mmCIF file of all heavy atoms in Angstrom:
data_model
loop_
_atom_site.group_PDB
_atom_site.id
_atom_site.type_symbol
_atom_site.label_atom_id
_atom_site.label_comp_id
_atom_site.label_asym_id
_atom_site.label_seq_id
_atom_site.Cartn_x
_atom_site.Cartn_y
_atom_site.Cartn_z
ATOM 1 N N GLY A 1 236.022 77.424 -13.736
ATOM 2 C CA GLY A 1 235.507 78.012 -12.503
ATOM 3 C C GLY A 1 236.494 78.999 -11.897
ATOM 4 O O GLY A 1 236.121 80.081 -11.429
ATOM 5 N N LYS A 2 237.761 78.627 -11.929
ATOM 6 C CA LYS A 2 238.817 79.486 -11.372
ATOM 7 C C LYS A 2 238.931 80.790 -12.179
ATOM 8 O O LYS A 2 239.005 81.874 -11.616
ATOM 9 C CB LYS A 2 240.147 78.723 -11.402
ATOM 10 C CG LYS A 2 241.189 79.252 -10.438
ATOM 11 C CD LYS A 2 240.897 78.839 -9.025
ATOM 12 C CE LYS A 2 242.007 79.277 -8.076
ATOM 13 N NZ LYS A 2 241.633 79.055 -6.680
ATOM 14 N N LEU A 3 238.943 80.641 -13.506
ATOM 15 C CA LEU A 3 239.048 81.824 -14.374
ATOM 16 C C LEU A 3 237.805 82.710 -14.249
ATOM 17 O O LEU A 3 237.911 83.937 -14.194
ATOM 18 C CB LEU A 3 239.215 81.394 -15.837
ATOM 19 C CG LEU A 3 240.601 80.896 -16.244
ATOM 20 C CD1 LEU A 3 240.556 80.242 -17.613
ATOM 21 C CD2 LEU A 3 241.619 82.033 -16.238
ATOM 22 N N GLY A 4 236.644 82.082 -14.171
ATOM 23 C CA GLY A 4 235.392 82.840 -14.058
ATOM 24 C C GLY A 4 235.336 83.646 -12.778
ATOM 25 O O GLY A 4 235.018 84.836 -12.785
ATOM 26 N N LYS A 5 235.683 82.996 -11.669
ATOM 27 C CA LYS A 5 235.671 83.692 -10.377
ATOM 28 C C LYS A 5 236.667 84.846 -10.366
ATOM 29 O O LYS A 5 236.425 85.884 -9.771
ATOM 30 C CB LYS A 5 235.994 82.718 -9.244
ATOM 31 C CG LYS A 5 234.767 82.051 -8.661
ATOM 32 C CD LYS A 5 235.024 81.432 -7.297
ATOM 33 C CE LYS A 5 235.958 80.253 -7.374
ATOM 34 N NZ LYS A 5 236.031 79.492 -6.122
ATOM 35 N N ALA A 6 237.811 84.633 -11.038
ATOM 36 C CA ALA A 6 238.861 85.669 -11.055
ATOM 37 C C ALA A 6 238.553 86.793 -12.047
ATOM 38 O O ALA A 6 239.345 87.721 -12.207
ATOM 39 C CB ALA A 6 240.210 85.035 -11.389
ATOM 40 N N GLY A 7 237.403 86.698 -12.722
ATOM 41 C CA GLY A 7 236.978 87.782 -13.609
ATOM 42 C C GLY A 7 237.639 87.782 -14.975
ATOM 43 O O GLY A 7 237.767 88.831 -15.607
ATOM 44 N N HIS A 8 238.050 86.604 -15.465
ATOM 45 C CA HIS A 8 238.618 86.496 -16.812
ATOM 46 C C HIS A 8 237.516 86.828 -17.816
ATOM 47 O O HIS A 8 236.491 86.147 -17.881
ATOM 48 C CB HIS A 8 239.151 85.066 -17.021
ATOM 49 C CG HIS A 8 239.822 84.858 -18.328
ATOM 50 N ND1 HIS A 8 239.238 84.150 -19.361
ATOM 51 C CD2 HIS A 8 241.036 85.264 -18.788
ATOM 52 C CE1 HIS A 8 240.068 84.122 -20.392
ATOM 53 N NE2 HIS A 8 241.157 84.790 -20.071
ATOM 54 N N LYS A 9 237.730 87.900 -18.608
ATOM 55 C CA LYS A 9 236.657 88.490 -19.417
ATOM 56 C C LYS A 9 235.982 87.491 -20.369
ATOM 57 O O LYS A 9 234.762 87.352 -20.382
ATOM 58 C CB LYS A 9 237.213 89.682 -20.197
ATOM 59 C CG LYS A 9 236.148 90.604 -20.767
ATOM 60 C CD LYS A 9 236.760 91.950 -21.138
ATOM 61 C CE LYS A 9 235.721 92.858 -21.763
ATOM 62 N NZ LYS A 9 235.370 92.474 -23.144
ATOM 63 N N ALA A 10 236.786 86.769 -21.158
ATOM 64 C CA ALA A 10 236.213 85.843 -22.142
ATOM 65 C C ALA A 10 235.435 84.719 -21.465
ATOM 66 O O ALA A 10 234.371 84.302 -21.946
ATOM 67 C CB ALA A 10 237.329 85.264 -23.020
ATOM 68 N N THR A 11 235.948 84.236 -20.326
ATOM 69 C CA THR A 11 235.278 83.162 -19.584
ATOM 70 C C THR A 11 233.942 83.651 -19.031
ATOM 71 O O THR A 11 232.930 82.959 -19.108
ATOM 72 C CB THR A 11 236.178 82.651 -18.434
ATOM 73 O OG1 THR A 11 237.438 82.287 -18.969
ATOM 74 C CG2 THR A 11 235.561 81.460 -17.725
ATOM 75 N N LEU A 12 233.956 84.862 -18.494
ATOM 76 C CA LEU A 12 232.730 85.449 -17.927
ATOM 77 C C LEU A 12 231.664 85.622 -19.008
ATOM 78 O O LEU A 12 230.495 85.264 -18.809
ATOM 79 C CB LEU A 12 233.066 86.795 -17.267
ATOM 80 C CG LEU A 12 231.906 87.617 -16.696
ATOM 81 C CD1 LEU A 12 231.105 86.821 -15.678
ATOM 82 C CD2 LEU A 12 232.427 88.903 -16.048
ATOM 83 N N GLU A 13 232.073 86.130 -20.163
ATOM 84 C CA GLU A 13 231.104 86.348 -21.258
ATOM 85 C C GLU A 13 230.492 85.024 -21.736
ATOM 86 O O GLU A 13 229.286 84.925 -21.944
ATOM 87 C CB GLU A 13 231.798 87.065 -22.428
ATOM 88 C CG GLU A 13 232.026 88.547 -22.153
ATOM 89 C CD GLU A 13 232.922 89.213 -23.188
ATOM 90 O OE1 GLU A 13 233.342 88.536 -24.153
ATOM 91 O OE2 GLU A 13 233.220 90.417 -23.017
ATOM 92 N N GLU A 14 231.351 84.009 -21.907
ATOM 93 C CA GLU A 14 230.863 82.707 -22.377
ATOM 94 C C GLU A 14 229.978 82.037 -21.325
ATOM 95 O O GLU A 14 228.961 81.417 -21.657
ATOM 96 C CB GLU A 14 232.060 81.813 -22.734
ATOM 97 C CG GLU A 14 231.699 80.476 -23.344
ATOM 98 C CD GLU A 14 230.971 80.553 -24.690
ATOM 99 O OE1 GLU A 14 230.898 81.647 -25.304
ATOM 100 O OE2 GLU A 14 230.451 79.508 -25.124
ATOM 101 N N ALA A 15 230.354 82.187 -20.053
ATOM 102 C CA ALA A 15 229.543 81.607 -18.967
ATOM 103 C C ALA A 15 228.159 82.251 -18.947
ATOM 104 O O ALA A 15 227.142 81.554 -18.806
ATOM 105 C CB ALA A 15 230.244 81.816 -17.617
ATOM 106 N N ARG A 16 228.096 83.560 -19.111
ATOM 107 C CA ARG A 16 226.805 84.258 -19.125
ATOM 108 C C ARG A 16 225.948 83.806 -20.312
ATOM 109 O O ARG A 16 224.742 83.608 -20.178
ATOM 110 C CB ARG A 16 227.027 85.779 -19.186
ATOM 111 C CG ARG A 16 227.396 86.357 -17.826
ATOM 112 C CD ARG A 16 227.638 87.844 -17.904
ATOM 113 N NE ARG A 16 227.787 88.421 -16.572
ATOM 114 C CZ ARG A 16 228.459 89.533 -16.309
ATOM 115 N NH1 ARG A 16 229.052 90.191 -17.298
ATOM 116 N NH2 ARG A 16 228.547 89.996 -15.081
ATOM 117 N N ARG A 17 226.583 83.644 -21.469
ATOM 118 C CA ARG A 17 225.855 83.214 -22.665
ATOM 119 C C ARG A 17 225.270 81.811 -22.460
ATOM 120 O O ARG A 17 224.091 81.568 -22.729
ATOM 121 C CB ARG A 17 226.804 83.219 -23.868
ATOM 122 C CG ARG A 17 226.117 82.954 -25.198
ATOM 123 C CD ARG A 17 227.116 82.844 -26.344
ATOM 124 N NE ARG A 17 227.883 81.616 -26.307
ATOM 125 C CZ ARG A 17 227.424 80.425 -26.668
ATOM 126 N NH1 ARG A 17 226.171 80.292 -27.081
ATOM 127 N NH2 ARG A 17 228.199 79.357 -26.613
ATOM 128 N N ARG A 18 226.101 80.911 -21.954
ATOM 129 C CA ARG A 18 225.655 79.521 -21.757
ATOM 130 C C ARG A 18 224.616 79.421 -20.635
ATOM 131 O O ARG A 18 223.705 78.596 -20.711
ATOM 132 C CB ARG A 18 226.865 78.618 -21.460
ATOM 133 C CG ARG A 18 227.733 78.410 -22.702
ATOM 134 C CD ARG A 18 228.894 77.470 -22.450
ATOM 135 N NE ARG A 18 229.712 77.345 -23.646
ATOM 136 C CZ ARG A 18 229.960 76.198 -24.291
ATOM 137 N NH1 ARG A 18 229.438 75.064 -23.850
ATOM 138 N NH2 ARG A 18 230.722 76.180 -25.362
ATOM 139 N N PHE A 19 224.754 80.256 -19.633
ATOM 140 C CA PHE A 19 223.789 80.260 -18.531
ATOM 141 C C PHE A 19 222.412 80.694 -19.040
ATOM 142 O O PHE A 19 221.393 80.077 -18.713
ATOM 143 C CB PHE A 19 224.271 81.206 -17.421
ATOM 144 C CG PHE A 19 223.360 81.256 -16.219
ATOM 145 C CD1 PHE A 19 223.222 80.147 -15.397
ATOM 146 C CD2 PHE A 19 222.655 82.410 -15.905
ATOM 147 C CE1 PHE A 19 222.383 80.186 -14.278
ATOM 148 C CE2 PHE A 19 221.820 82.459 -14.797
ATOM 149 C CZ PHE A 19 221.690 81.343 -13.982
ATOM 150 N N LYS A 20 222.403 81.743 -19.870
ATOM 151 C CA LYS A 20 221.148 82.254 -20.434
ATOM 152 C C LYS A 20 220.458 81.158 -21.253
ATOM 153 O O LYS A 20 219.250 80.926 -21.120
ATOM 154 C CB LYS A 20 221.451 83.483 -21.306
ATOM 155 C CG LYS A 20 220.229 84.202 -21.835
ATOM 156 C CD LYS A 20 220.651 85.520 -22.498
ATOM 157 C CE LYS A 20 219.443 86.290 -22.993
ATOM 158 N NZ LYS A 20 218.844 85.715 -24.207
ATOM 159 N N GLU A 21 221.225 80.459 -22.084
ATOM 160 C CA GLU A 21 220.651 79.385 -22.914
ATOM 161 C C GLU A 21 220.146 78.225 -22.051
ATOM 162 O O GLU A 21 219.127 77.605 -22.362
ATOM 163 C CB GLU A 21 221.701 78.871 -23.913
ATOM 164 C CG GLU A 21 222.000 79.859 -25.021
ATOM 165 C CD GLU A 21 222.813 79.242 -26.149
ATOM 166 O OE1 GLU A 21 223.384 78.147 -25.959
ATOM 167 O OE2 GLU A 21 222.864 79.858 -27.234
ATOM 168 N N HIS A 22 220.856 77.962 -20.959
ATOM 169 C CA HIS A 22 220.467 76.904 -20.026
ATOM 170 C C HIS A 22 219.128 77.245 -19.362
ATOM 171 O O HIS A 22 218.219 76.416 -19.309
ATOM 172 C CB HIS A 22 221.568 76.744 -18.965
ATOM 173 C CG HIS A 22 221.255 75.746 -17.896
ATOM 174 N ND1 HIS A 22 221.261 74.386 -18.108
ATOM 175 C CD2 HIS A 22 220.927 75.909 -16.575
ATOM 176 C CE1 HIS A 22 220.959 73.752 -16.985
ATOM 177 N NE2 HIS A 22 220.746 74.659 -16.044
ATOM 178 N N VAL A 23 219.019 78.471 -18.881
ATOM 179 C CA VAL A 23 217.802 78.919 -18.187
ATOM 180 C C VAL A 23 216.604 78.927 -19.133
ATOM 181 O O VAL A 23 215.494 78.551 -18.763
ATOM 182 C CB VAL A 23 218.024 80.329 -17.563
ATOM 183 C CG1 VAL A 23 216.723 80.914 -17.034
ATOM 184 C CG2 VAL A 23 219.061 80.255 -16.448
ATOM 185 N N GLU A 24 216.872 79.340 -20.386
ATOM 186 C CA GLU A 24 215.782 79.399 -21.381
ATOM 187 C C GLU A 24 215.435 78.021 -21.945
ATOM 188 O O GLU A 24 214.486 77.886 -22.715
ATOM 189 C CB GLU A 24 216.186 80.342 -22.520
ATOM 190 C CG GLU A 24 216.230 81.809 -22.091
ATOM 191 C CD GLU A 24 216.875 82.712 -23.132
ATOM 192 O OE1 GLU A 24 217.406 82.192 -24.151
ATOM 193 O OE2 GLU A 24 216.860 83.941 -22.935
ATOM 194 N N GLY A 25 216.225 77.005 -21.586
ATOM 195 C CA GLY A 25 215.966 75.647 -22.070
ATOM 196 C C GLY A 25 216.425 75.389 -23.490
ATOM 197 O O GLY A 25 216.109 74.367 -24.097
ATOM 198 N N LYS A 26 217.220 76.343 -24.053
ATOM 199 C CA LYS A 26 217.693 76.189 -25.438
ATOM 200 C C LYS A 26 218.819 75.169 -25.526
ATOM 201 O O LYS A 26 218.911 74.414 -26.484
ATOM 202 C CB LYS A 26 218.191 77.540 -25.977
ATOM 203 C CG LYS A 26 217.089 78.530 -26.266
ATOM 204 C CD LYS A 26 217.684 79.829 -26.791
ATOM 205 C CE LYS A 26 216.618 80.902 -26.971
ATOM 206 N NZ LYS A 26 217.223 82.217 -27.227
ATOM 207 N N HIS A 27 219.717 75.230 -24.548
ATOM 208 C CA HIS A 27 220.871 74.329 -24.562
ATOM 209 C C HIS A 27 221.256 74.031 -23.110
ATOM 210 O O HIS A 27 221.884 74.849 -22.456
ATOM 211 C CB HIS A 27 222.040 74.987 -25.312
ATOM 212 C CG HIS A 27 223.092 74.010 -25.726
ATOM 213 N ND1 HIS A 27 224.031 73.539 -24.848
ATOM 214 C CD2 HIS A 27 223.335 73.403 -26.923
ATOM 215 C CE1 HIS A 27 224.822 72.678 -25.486
ATOM 216 N NE2 HIS A 27 224.425 72.573 -26.745
ATOM 217 N N ILE A 28 220.853 72.868 -22.616
ATOM 218 C CA ILE A 28 221.075 72.533 -21.210
ATOM 219 C C ILE A 28 222.562 72.268 -20.951
ATOM 220 O O ILE A 28 223.213 71.541 -21.717
ATOM 221 C CB ILE A 28 220.225 71.309 -20.794
ATOM 222 C CG1 ILE A 28 218.732 71.616 -21.009
ATOM 223 C CG2 ILE A 28 220.491 70.899 -19.350
ATOM 224 C CD1 ILE A 28 218.184 72.782 -20.231
ATOM 225 N N LEU A 29 223.081 72.865 -19.903
ATOM 226 C CA LEU A 29 224.493 72.685 -19.540
ATOM 227 C C LEU A 29 224.773 71.250 -19.109
ATOM 228 O O LEU A 29 223.960 70.637 -18.413
ATOM 229 C CB LEU A 29 224.847 73.612 -18.364
ATOM 230 C CG LEU A 29 225.051 75.093 -18.655
ATOM 231 C CD1 LEU A 29 224.998 75.879 -17.348
ATOM 232 C CD2 LEU A 29 226.378 75.338 -19.358
ATOM 233 N N SER A 30 225.933 70.744 -19.504
ATOM 234 C CA SER A 30 226.338 69.415 -19.027
ATOM 235 C C SER A 30 226.642 69.507 -17.534
ATOM 236 O O SER A 30 226.983 70.582 -17.022
ATOM 237 C CB SER A 30 227.567 68.927 -19.786
ATOM 238 O OG SER A 30 228.689 69.715 -19.450
ATOM 239 N N ALA A 31 226.538 68.391 -16.844
ATOM 240 C CA ALA A 31 226.765 68.372 -15.388
ATOM 241 C C ALA A 31 228.143 68.928 -15.032
ATOM 242 O O ALA A 31 228.302 69.641 -14.046
ATOM 243 C CB ALA A 31 226.622 66.946 -14.861
ATOM 244 N N ASP A 32 229.159 68.633 -15.868
ATOM 245 C CA ASP A 32 230.531 69.081 -15.589
ATOM 246 C C ASP A 32 230.669 70.603 -15.596
ATOM 247 O O ASP A 32 231.527 71.146 -14.913
ATOM 248 C CB ASP A 32 231.506 68.520 -16.644
ATOM 249 C CG ASP A 32 231.598 67.005 -16.577
ATOM 250 O OD1 ASP A 32 231.499 66.463 -15.463
ATOM 251 O OD2 ASP A 32 231.755 66.378 -17.638
ATOM 252 N N LEU A 33 229.840 71.263 -16.394
ATOM 253 C CA LEU A 33 229.996 72.715 -16.559
ATOM 254 C C LEU A 33 229.077 73.538 -15.662
ATOM 255 O O LEU A 33 229.234 74.749 -15.562
ATOM 256 C CB LEU A 33 229.743 73.109 -18.019
ATOM 257 C CG LEU A 33 230.814 72.684 -19.038
ATOM 258 C CD1 LEU A 33 230.403 73.116 -20.433
ATOM 259 C CD2 LEU A 33 232.182 73.284 -18.688
ATOM 260 N N ARG A 34 228.135 72.877 -15.011
ATOM 261 C CA ARG A 34 227.151 73.658 -14.240
ATOM 262 C C ARG A 34 227.787 74.447 -13.098
ATOM 263 O O ARG A 34 227.571 75.651 -12.988
ATOM 264 C CB ARG A 34 226.036 72.749 -13.724
ATOM 265 C CG ARG A 34 225.116 72.323 -14.847
ATOM 266 C CD ARG A 34 223.917 71.550 -14.378
ATOM 267 N NE ARG A 34 223.241 70.955 -15.530
ATOM 268 C CZ ARG A 34 222.092 70.335 -15.463
ATOM 269 N NH1 ARG A 34 221.466 70.207 -14.309
ATOM 270 N NH2 ARG A 34 221.543 69.809 -16.552
ATOM 271 N N SER A 35 228.569 73.776 -12.254
ATOM 272 C CA SER A 35 229.173 74.497 -11.113
ATOM 273 C C SER A 35 230.034 75.677 -11.549
ATOM 274 O O SER A 35 229.877 76.784 -11.036
ATOM 275 C CB SER A 35 229.977 73.543 -10.230
ATOM 276 O OG SER A 35 229.088 72.688 -9.534
ATOM 277 N N PRO A 36 230.986 75.485 -12.512
ATOM 278 C CA PRO A 36 231.791 76.640 -12.925
ATOM 279 C C PRO A 36 230.974 77.778 -13.529
ATOM 280 O O PRO A 36 231.270 78.953 -13.288
ATOM 281 C CB PRO A 36 232.776 76.070 -13.954
ATOM 282 C CG PRO A 36 232.310 74.712 -14.288
ATOM 283 C CD PRO A 36 231.479 74.243 -13.143
ATOM 284 N N VAL A 37 229.935 77.434 -14.292
ATOM 285 C CA VAL A 37 229.096 78.483 -14.897
ATOM 286 C C VAL A 37 228.292 79.190 -13.812
ATOM 287 O O VAL A 37 228.249 80.430 -13.755
ATOM 288 C CB VAL A 37 228.164 77.897 -15.984
ATOM 289 C CG1 VAL A 37 227.068 78.899 -16.361
ATOM 290 C CG2 VAL A 37 228.970 77.515 -17.220
ATOM 291 N N TYR A 38 227.676 78.425 -12.928
ATOM 292 C CA TYR A 38 226.875 79.017 -11.847
ATOM 293 C C TYR A 38 227.724 79.965 -10.987
ATOM 294 O O TYR A 38 227.323 81.077 -10.667
ATOM 295 C CB TYR A 38 226.297 77.927 -10.937
ATOM 296 C CG TYR A 38 225.236 77.043 -11.554
ATOM 297 C CD1 TYR A 38 224.821 75.876 -10.907
ATOM 298 C CD2 TYR A 38 224.631 77.358 -12.770
ATOM 299 C CE1 TYR A 38 223.843 75.045 -11.451
ATOM 300 C CE2 TYR A 38 223.660 76.529 -13.326
ATOM 301 C CZ TYR A 38 223.271 75.371 -12.659
ATOM 302 O OH TYR A 38 222.310 74.553 -13.200
ATOM 303 N N VAL A 39 228.910 79.488 -10.600
ATOM 304 C CA VAL A 39 229.749 80.277 -9.693
ATOM 305 C C VAL A 39 230.228 81.561 -10.383
ATOM 306 O O VAL A 39 230.311 82.627 -9.767
ATOM 307 C CB VAL A 39 230.928 79.427 -9.149
ATOM 308 C CG1 VAL A 39 232.135 79.429 -10.051
ATOM 309 C CG2 VAL A 39 231.338 79.872 -7.762
ATOM 310 N N THR A 40 230.491 81.470 -11.687
ATOM 311 C CA THR A 40 230.967 82.637 -12.443
ATOM 312 C C THR A 40 229.872 83.697 -12.562
ATOM 313 O O THR A 40 230.116 84.879 -12.296
ATOM 314 C CB THR A 40 231.444 82.212 -13.847
ATOM 315 O OG1 THR A 40 232.521 81.283 -13.706
ATOM 316 C CG2 THR A 40 231.917 83.403 -14.655
ATOM 317 N N VAL A 41 228.663 83.277 -12.959
ATOM 318 C CA VAL A 41 227.591 84.274 -13.142
ATOM 319 C C VAL A 41 227.157 84.872 -11.800
ATOM 320 O O VAL A 41 226.800 86.049 -11.725
ATOM 321 C CB VAL A 41 226.378 83.712 -13.917
ATOM 322 C CG1 VAL A 41 226.775 83.340 -15.341
ATOM 323 C CG2 VAL A 41 225.727 82.548 -13.219
ATOM 324 N N LEU A 42 227.216 84.076 -10.733
ATOM 325 C CA LEU A 42 226.843 84.601 -9.412
ATOM 326 C C LEU A 42 227.881 85.595 -8.899
ATOM 327 O O LEU A 42 227.532 86.662 -8.390
ATOM 328 C CB LEU A 42 226.689 83.461 -8.407
ATOM 329 C CG LEU A 42 225.347 82.726 -8.401
ATOM 330 C CD1 LEU A 42 225.472 81.408 -7.662
ATOM 331 C CD2 LEU A 42 224.238 83.577 -7.783
ATOM 332 N N LYS A 43 229.156 85.240 -9.027
ATOM 333 C CA LYS A 43 230.243 86.098 -8.526
ATOM 334 C C LYS A 43 230.159 87.502 -9.134
ATOM 335 O O LYS A 43 230.453 88.501 -8.499
ATOM 336 C CB LYS A 43 231.596 85.454 -8.866
ATOM 337 C CG LYS A 43 232.816 86.204 -8.356
ATOM 338 C CD LYS A 43 233.044 85.944 -6.894
ATOM 339 C CE LYS A 43 234.257 86.661 -6.356
ATOM 340 N NZ LYS A 43 234.324 86.576 -4.901
ATOM 341 N N HIS A 44 229.749 87.548 -10.397
ATOM 342 C CA HIS A 44 229.683 88.839 -11.099
ATOM 343 C C HIS A 44 228.234 89.200 -11.416
ATOM 344 O O HIS A 44 227.954 89.928 -12.364
ATOM 345 C CB HIS A 44 230.517 88.763 -12.383
ATOM 346 C CG HIS A 44 231.912 88.281 -12.146
ATOM 347 N ND1 HIS A 44 232.912 89.105 -11.670
ATOM 348 C CD2 HIS A 44 232.468 87.046 -12.261
ATOM 349 C CE1 HIS A 44 234.033 88.394 -11.523
ATOM 350 N NE2 HIS A 44 233.782 87.151 -11.864
ATOM 351 N N GLY A 45 227.309 88.663 -10.600
ATOM 352 C CA GLY A 45 225.887 88.854 -10.871
ATOM 353 C C GLY A 45 225.203 89.835 -9.942
ATOM 354 O O GLY A 45 225.827 90.428 -9.063
ATOM 355 N N ASP A 46 223.891 89.965 -10.123
ATOM 356 C CA ASP A 46 223.090 90.889 -9.309
ATOM 357 C C ASP A 46 221.883 90.134 -8.739
ATOM 358 O O ASP A 46 221.847 88.902 -8.757
ATOM 359 C CB ASP A 46 222.639 92.093 -10.158
ATOM 360 C CG ASP A 46 221.924 91.656 -11.446
ATOM 361 O OD1 ASP A 46 221.481 90.491 -11.523
ATOM 362 O OD2 ASP A 46 221.816 92.483 -12.371
ATOM 363 N N SER A 47 220.896 90.884 -8.247
ATOM 364 C CA SER A 47 219.744 90.252 -7.589
ATOM 365 C C SER A 47 218.960 89.360 -8.548
ATOM 366 O O SER A 47 218.442 88.321 -8.157
ATOM 367 C CB SER A 47 218.825 91.311 -6.976
ATOM 368 O OG SER A 47 218.373 92.189 -7.979
ATOM 369 N N SER A 48 218.890 89.753 -9.839
ATOM 370 C CA SER A 48 218.133 88.922 -10.785
ATOM 371 C C SER A 48 218.860 87.592 -11.031
ATOM 372 O O SER A 48 218.225 86.558 -11.230
ATOM 373 C CB SER A 48 217.880 89.662 -12.097
ATOM 374 O OG SER A 48 219.071 89.833 -12.807
#
């Protein structure tokens, strides 16, 4: 979560990939990873 918020490139890319799979129902995120992934994609996200 800390690395994602701070814009660490590899963390941001992986968070976006896992978020997409989570939303599409392909691979549901574990409870431990949801907050860091959510916060990372939102911090660097847009209206969609």
Side-chain angles (χ1 to χ4, degrees):
K2 201 76 175 171
L3 283 168
K5 270 198 292 190
H8 183 254
K9 196 163 178 286
T11 306
L12 176 56
E13 284 170 2
E14 185 63 11
R16 281 179 171 155
R17 187 185 72 76
R18 289 183 182 239
F19 181 68
K20 186 171 182 286
E21 289 192 345
H22 176 73
V23 171
E24 290 169 354
K26 288 180 185 169
H27 197 281
I28 301 300
L29 284 164
S30 68
D32 295 326
L33 289 179
R34 287 186 191 187
S35 289
V37 166
Y38 292 168
V39 86
T40 299
V41 296
L42 277 164
K43 182 79 179 170
H44 308 280
D46 53 18
S47 59
S48 69

